[in-house]
Amino acid sequence: MEQRPFGLLLVIGVSVLFCDVTAGEPIRLKIGIVGTWTPIYDELLKKTGLSSPWDLTNITIPKPKSQFDKMLKVKDFLSDHSIDVILGPYDDATGIVADKLRIPYISTTGSKRNLKFTFQILPPLEDFSQAIFDMTKSYKWDKVSLFYDDLRGVYIMEQLLTNHDLMVKSWHVEYDQNAKVIEKQVRDHLVRMRQAFVQKSIIFCSKEHTEIILDQARSLAMLSQPSEWFFYDPGDQLVPVFKSFPDVFVNFTVFGLMAFDSRNEIATFDDSRRLNISLAADSLQVLNATLPNIRGVPRNQAAVTIAEELRKIRLPGYTGDIEFGPDGRRYNYTIKLSEIEGLDSLQVGVWKSHPLVAEERIQFEEVKRLNRNYSFPLKGRTVSVVMILEKPFTMMKRDYMQRLGNDRFEGFAVDLITEVAKMLDFNFEIYLVHDGKFGQKKENGEWNGMIGELLAGNATMLVAPLSINSQREEAVDFTKPFMTRYISVLMRVPQSEQSYFEFLNPLHQNVWYCTFGAFIVVSVILYFLERFGIRQNKDYPTISFRESFWFVFGSLLQGNTDSSPSTLPGRILTSAWWFFALILISSYTANLAAFLTVKKINTPIKSVTDLASQTKIKYGTVKSSGIMFFFKNTNIEHFAKMWTQMSEVDPSSMVDDTDKGFQKVKEGNYAFFWDTTVNKYKTIEDCQFMEIGPYFDPKGFGIGVPPGAIYREDLSMAILKLSDTGMLHQLENKWWPSKSCPDLSKPSADETSELSIESVAGVFFILLGGIALAGIVCGFEHFAKIVKKAAKSEKNVNGKNSEIKERESFL
């Protein structure tokens, strides 16, 4: 019960008429009522009355300057008005003065002081804390959360900490005028509580704060099994709060003096005054029980007699059995444990104050518990789903600027959560992770990315190509995998260089050099063999030096010449040269067909392991990704070598996101390690990319949920049903269609192409060069012939002229 400071002390004198034996004249017993409870006592006295008549007198005590001044004024008032008994909530100054004046004070609220003349109707807080402590021992709890908003919660926490087998997480809800601040504060507490995997909670707060706590817990899906919530509520003050959660299927247990949501002839209304009215009615009831025993007692002994009779009282009250101990505190009563589910309630146990053995104090009743029909905690709600842009899982539509909400997105992950939501009957809102990261644990222990969004309570679940590993599993929970991914390498398809002299490629340049050298050597040797050799036929023309070169060259190209060797050595050399030309031309012809008609990929990287043995092509992956942690933590030699290269030798090869990785691949001379699901889609989308295996490090993609979230199993079951019905396979075929790009890594007859002009243009150039050279030589010869003819004609003319001159001189 909340105690309010007293600025004014309102005392109403109520006199009860009884017979003074000595005087024989009727006198009135005066009763002082403390605090603002005057309307409650006035209403109760009009309904029930007492066994003797009474009068009401209202006296106001001016605001005191200090506590001591207040005690003096209270003393003067009690003495001046001959007060015989005091009723109402406990006030410290009034209690101390009443104890000195030996006036019984029947207090409706608790007190920490042990005063002989103060009798407490409301059991002390220590008993409630002992009841909660005994319950934790009986249930054998190992973890519990305590929410409190005043010093009473601190006392409960201290009591719970005496159990060394129990881990207590305490959360202080501070008062604030701004409701949003309190909601943010409570939400942070609940998120941390969930991170600590605490499923049992004790609420020791005001009605307003309790409602905020439960509302935030519902938004975080924490009001479902196996979570359990326990409340301190002596007199149904939280009934309106519980009625706001009729759809909650979770264990709400209330500690109270009365049966939950009880009705009696005194407190019939359903509001926060039910406890106060019941306590006030019990105080009047115990007072009325003492009145028959004070008749005939002298006036100055009435107060003492009432106090003595109060110590003997044993009667049932509206708040349970009432009995006072020597110290005036109530004992031998019971605290009732009631379970609430929606609008139904059931008493499941009691805590008895009198047994000294802890095992006997709390007793659970043999009752049929409430039927808890499990309901999916997200059913009918709208939850937040965090995603990350990653093709083809989550993508923005082309016209997303003209769309709103979830309609802006498309992809495998969007279709998946849509099907799951239809199956489990809940709505969702997609938002993209703010920092664009998957999730990495930072040095301060906090997480960024999508995992950080889950742990902060901003998202109810994450749906993305986020691989499940041990570190992430420690932070959040994952459903059954909806897809298995591997790691592969994405590279750019090597660009084949078009050459006009492609026909030269069948033979290595060294072969061409050696062939040309052999042509020169054989031509020279053949000339000398023919010159110095013995000819078999004298009439056969000899081969000149020029004809020797022409004969060898024609033999190489399978052409005919007018001259041929006539000596035996020359013919032997010619036979060897013909055999050489046959093999060379045959090999060239066979190779030329393959080079000009079959497209083959020529890449220095044939597999993933080839990257570790070279330094020309850089390679890397996304920072803070699961693939990065695989390389970082692996013990496989070549992968560990790659990690050293990526992290230490060339850290610039690591990228911030996949878009930057794809861009570096497109620029060339870079290999990108990433999920096969994404790499496969990239090769389908853009034929400039190719995927290199073999695949390694298989892991699953699962829907991530906050740690301890009980709806994980429902999501897992939905994924399994989608797999059984073939829906997951349909979604995969939708977003990963058949590959349309040719596979250039495997040459075959199906991959041959017609001979392009670019491949044989060099032959035409040689032919044109030959034509041009032949024309030039022809022109040169023609010019030489003209010059020679002109010179001959001039010579003839000169000869005739000289002959004429000789004749003339002779004559």
Side-chain angles (χ1 to χ4, degrees):
M1 174 53 60
E2 182 178 355
Q3 299 184 9
R4 303 178 181 177
F6 290 92
L8 297 176
L9 178 62
L10 177 64
V11 182
I12 303 174
V14 182
S15 301
V16 181
L17 179 66
F18 69 97
C19 299
D20 192 333
V21 177
T22 57
E25 296 179 359
I27 61 174
R28 292 182 179 274
L29 181 67
K30 296 182 179 181
I31 304 172
I33 300 177
V34 180
T36 60
W37 285 40
T38 300
I40 297 177
Y41 278 104
D42 187 28
E43 184 178 356
L44 290 174
L45 287 172
K46 290 178 180 179
K47 285 184 178 181
T48 62
L50 294 174
S51 60
S52 299
W54 67 90
D55 293 329
L56 300 179
T57 303
N58 298 332
I59 301 176
T60 303
I61 295 178
K63 185 176 181 180
K65 298 178 181 179
S66 63
Q67 183 73 357
F68 180 73
D69 181 53
K70 182 178 180 180
M71 294 171 61
L72 292 177
K73 291 180 179 180
V74 170
K75 176 180 178 299
D76 293 339
F77 173 78
L78 297 178
S79 300
D80 294 343
H81 294 81
S82 302
I83 298 299
D84 299 302
V85 64
I86 303 172
L87 302 177
Y90 179 77
D91 176 67
D92 198 43
T94 304
I96 295 174
V97 172
D99 195 67
K100 293 297 181 182
L101 297 178
R102 306 184 70 185
I103 299 174
Y105 185 178
I106 305 177
S107 172
T108 55
T109 58
S111 169
K112 293 183 179 181
R113 294 184 182 273
N114 293 325
L115 303 174
K116 294 182 179 180
F117 284 84
T118 298
F119 302 89
Q120 303 176 25
I121 300 296
L122 181 67
L125 182 62
E126 291 87 338
D127 287 353
F128 280 96
S129 63
Q130 185 64 50
I132 295 174
F133 178 83
D134 291 342
M135 180 199 64
T136 61
K137 296 279 287 187
S138 179
Y139 283 132
K140 297 180 180 180
W141 288 354
D142 57 350
K143 296 179 181 179
V144 66
S145 282
L146 174 65
F147 291 85
Y148 66 96
D149 56 8
D150 58 19
L151 293 177
R152 296 177 302 170
V154 177
Y155 186 87
I156 298 293
M157 179 178 61
E158 292 176 349
Q159 180 73 20
L160 293 175
L161 289 176
T162 59
N163 181 4
H164 301 295
D165 296 330
L166 181 66
M167 184 184 75
V168 181
K169 294 286 186 180
S170 58
W171 316 103
H172 183 207
V173 181
E174 300 179 0
Y175 285 91
D176 196 286
Q177 296 294 332
N178 190 344
K180 295 295 184 182
V181 175
I182 300 178
E183 291 176 359
K184 176 65 168 57
Q185 177 189 159
V186 169
R187 192 177 186 87
D188 292 341
H189 291 338
L190 291 171
V191 169
R192 292 189 180 94
M193 166 186 158
R194 185 166 60 184
Q195 292 175 354
F197 298 97
V198 182
Q199 298 174 339
K200 309 293 189 298
S201 302
I202 299 173
I203 310 299
F204 213 91
C205 298
S206 64
K207 181 177 70 175
E208 294 76 16
H209 286 170
T210 299
E211 188 168 11
I212 292 176
I213 292 173
L214 294 181
D215 185 65
Q216 293 298 316
R218 177 163 60 181
S219 69
L220 293 173
M222 298 175 66
L223 292 187
S224 299
Q225 297 175 352
S227 298
E228 297 184 31
W229 300 80
F230 297 82
F231 304 86
Y232 167 74
D233 185 24
D236 289 349
Q237 291 185 349
L238 299 180
V239 170
V241 175
F242 295 138
K243 288 185 176 180
S244 301
F245 300 88
D247 57 332
V248 173
F249 295 90
V250 69
N251 187 3
F252 282 176
T253 303
V254 176
F255 292 82
L257 283 176
M258 301 178 291
F260 180 77
D261 201 12
S262 59
R263 296 290 192 273
N264 54 54
E265 65 276 12
I266 296 297
T268 58
F269 29 81
D270 184 9
D271 59 18
S272 60
R273 297 200 307 159
R274 181 177 297 169
L275 176 62
N276 293 349
I277 293 175
S278 299
L279 293 172
D282 283 347
S283 66
L284 289 177
Q285 188 176 2
V286 297
L287 174 61
N288 196 44
T290 64
L291 294 182
N293 298 321
I294 65 172
R295 296 187 181 277
V297 175
R299 169 77 185 184
N300 57 359
Q301 295 295 322
V304 178
T305 303
I306 292 175
E308 293 176 354
E309 294 299 325
L310 286 173
R311 294 188 178 94
K312 303 176 184 178
I313 287 293
R314 292 184 180 179
L315 54 84
Y318 297 106
T319 58
D321 295 337
I322 301 176
E323 185 175 353
F324 300 108
D327 56 356
R329 295 194 176 191
R330 185 171 171 179
Y331 81 108
N332 200 17
Y333 65 95
T334 58
I335 295 177
K336 298 174 178 59
L337 279 68
S338 301
E339 286 188 3
I340 301 115
E341 184 175 304
L343 301 177
D344 299 326
S345 62
L346 178 68
Q347 183 173 314
V348 296
V350 294
W351 181 85
K352 298 182 179 181
S353 62
H354 60 280
L356 299 179
V357 181
E359 288 74 11
E360 298 178 359
R361 284 199 293 265
I362 189 166
Q363 300 177 5
F364 294 97
E365 301 175 359
E366 294 292 334
V367 296
K368 184 178 181 180
R369 294 182 176 271
L370 300 172
N371 293 326
R372 286 189 166 83
N373 298 322
Y374 175 76
S375 176
F376 180 58
L378 304 181
K379 183 177 181 180
R381 293 178 47 208
T382 300
V383 301
S384 297
V385 178
V386 61
M387 294 185 178
I388 189 171
L389 289 178
E390 186 72 273
K391 295 180 180 182
F393 290 91
T394 305
M395 302 176 288
M396 305 295 293
K397 293 182 178 178
R398 293 183 178 180
D399 57 344
Y400 72 94
M401 295 294 293
Q402 302 175 7
R403 300 174 182 267
L404 298 174
N406 298 339
D407 195 35
R408 297 170 297 163
F409 306 97
E410 64 178 353
F412 178 86
V414 178
D415 290 349
L416 174 64
I417 192 60
T418 300
E419 295 296 330
V420 172
K422 289 179 182 178
M423 186 176 297
L424 298 178
D425 190 20
F426 69 93
N427 301 316
F428 62 91
E429 293 180 352
I430 298 174
Y431 77 94
L432 300 177
V433 59
H434 305 298
D435 58 6
K437 297 183 181 298
F438 287 87
Q440 178 187 17
K441 191 174 184 180
K442 298 185 289 188
E443 294 181 356
N444 58 2
E446 298 181 356
W447 285 78
N448 59 14
M450 292 184 291
I451 294 182
E453 292 293 306
L454 277 184
L455 296 177
N458 298 329
T460 307
M461 64 185 74
L462 69 85
V463 184
L466 184 69
S467 57
I468 305 172
N469 57 35
S470 58
Q471 189 179 34
R472 289 171 176 166
E473 188 70 50
E474 291 178 356
V476 298
D477 292 340
F478 288 93
T479 62
K480 299 292 184 183
F482 59 80
M483 182 179 290
T484 301
R485 74 98 172 108
Y486 298 83
I487 301 176
S488 64
V489 177
L490 190 70
M491 294 185 65
R492 181 177 177 177
V493 175
Q495 300 296 319
S496 58
E497 297 181 0
Q498 294 291 341
S499 174
Y500 293 145
F501 298 92
E502 188 77 18
F503 63 89
L504 296 177
N505 290 334
L507 298 180
H508 193 270
Q509 58 183 0
N510 293 335
V511 177
W512 288 112
Y513 295 152
C514 292
T515 301
F516 181 76
F519 161 70
I520 299 296
V521 171
V522 170
S523 299
V524 173
I525 294 176
L526 180 62
Y527 168 75
F528 283 105
L529 290 177
E530 287 295 307
R531 183 175 180 82
F532 298 105
I534 301 174
R535 290 185 295 168
Q536 301 295 328
N537 189 353
K538 301 293 183 177
D539 298 330
Y540 200 84
T542 59
I543 298 178
S544 65
F545 189 76
R546 183 179 62 178
E547 289 295 329
S548 175
F549 277 89
W550 181 246
F551 174 79
V552 174
F553 183 72
S555 299
L556 183 64
L557 298 181
Q558 299 179 355
N560 294 324
T561 60
D562 293 336
S563 301
S564 62
S566 59
T567 64
L568 181 61
R571 291 177 178 180
I572 294 174
L573 177 62
T574 301
S575 300
W577 176 253
W578 284 346
F579 182 77
F580 166 79
L582 173 66
I583 300 301
L584 182 66
I585 297 302
S586 299
S587 302
Y588 173 81
T589 304
N591 247 9
L592 181 64
F595 265 84
L596 298 184
T597 60
V598 179
K599 291 184 178 180
K600 297 185 297 181
I601 187 170
N602 185 18
T603 174
I605 304 301
K606 304 297 183 182
S607 65
V608 173
T609 54
D610 290 343
L611 287 171
S613 59
Q614 58 84 46
T615 57
K616 181 179 179 181
I617 298 178
K618 297 182 179 181
Y619 47 86
T621 186
V622 176
K623 300 174 183 177
S624 305
S625 63
I627 297 177
M628 187 200 78
F629 286 110
F630 165 78
F631 281 101
K632 183 178 181 180
N633 301 322
T634 185
N635 294 323
I636 303 175
E637 182 179 357
H638 56 274
F639 289 141
K641 182 180 179 181
M642 289 181 178
W643 170 246
T644 303
Q645 178 70 22
M646 288 186 287
S647 61
E648 298 178 7
V649 179
D650 189 13
S652 62
S653 62
M654 304 294 289
V655 296
D656 295 328
D657 52 52
T658 54
D659 288 339
K660 294 182 179 178
F662 296 146
Q663 182 62 34
K664 294 191 70 171
V665 171
K666 184 171 289 189
E667 292 172 357
N669 208 31
Y670 181 79
F672 183 53
F673 286 97
W674 200 239
D675 297 333
T676 53
T677 54
V678 181
N679 287 347
K680 180 181 178 182
Y681 180 82
K682 199 65 180 177
T683 59
I684 296 174
E685 181 187 44
D686 191 343
C687 293
Q688 295 186 67
F689 294 93
M690 67 176 183
E691 194 178 11
I692 295 178
Y695 299 160
F696 60 96
D697 188 36
K699 280 187 172 58
F701 290 153
I703 297 178
V705 298
I710 58 174
Y711 49 86
R712 176 185 63 171
E713 296 301 326
D714 299 275
L715 296 176
S716 294
M717 187 59 65
I719 291 174
L720 293 177
K721 290 180 179 178
L722 290 176
S723 178
D724 293 340
T725 58
M727 179 57 68
L728 288 181
H729 183 67
Q730 293 180 21
L731 294 180
E732 289 184 20
N733 290 338
K734 175 182 177 181
W735 295 104
W736 285 273
S738 299
K739 188 173 182 180
S740 59
C741 300
D743 188 0
L744 301 180
S745 62
K746 297 180 179 180
S748 65
D750 296 336
E751 296 173 353
T752 61
S753 64
E754 67 277 3
L755 197 62
S756 61
I757 186 62
E758 290 83 1
S759 300
V760 294
V763 178
F764 290 91
F765 293 158
I766 292 177
L767 178 59
L768 292 176
I771 294 173
L773 181 61
I776 293 172
V777 172
C778 180
F780 178 79
E781 288 181 345
H782 181 69
F783 177 77
K785 182 178 180 182
I786 293 174
V787 171
K788 184 177 181 181
K789 184 177 180 180
K792 185 176 181 181
S793 298
E794 184 179 358
K795 182 178 180 182
N796 292 333
V797 171
N798 292 332
K800 291 180 178 181
N801 291 335
S802 61
E803 184 178 352
I804 292 172
K805 288 179 178 181
E806 288 178 358
R807 288 178 180 179
E808 289 178 350
S809 61
F810 180 76
L811 293 177

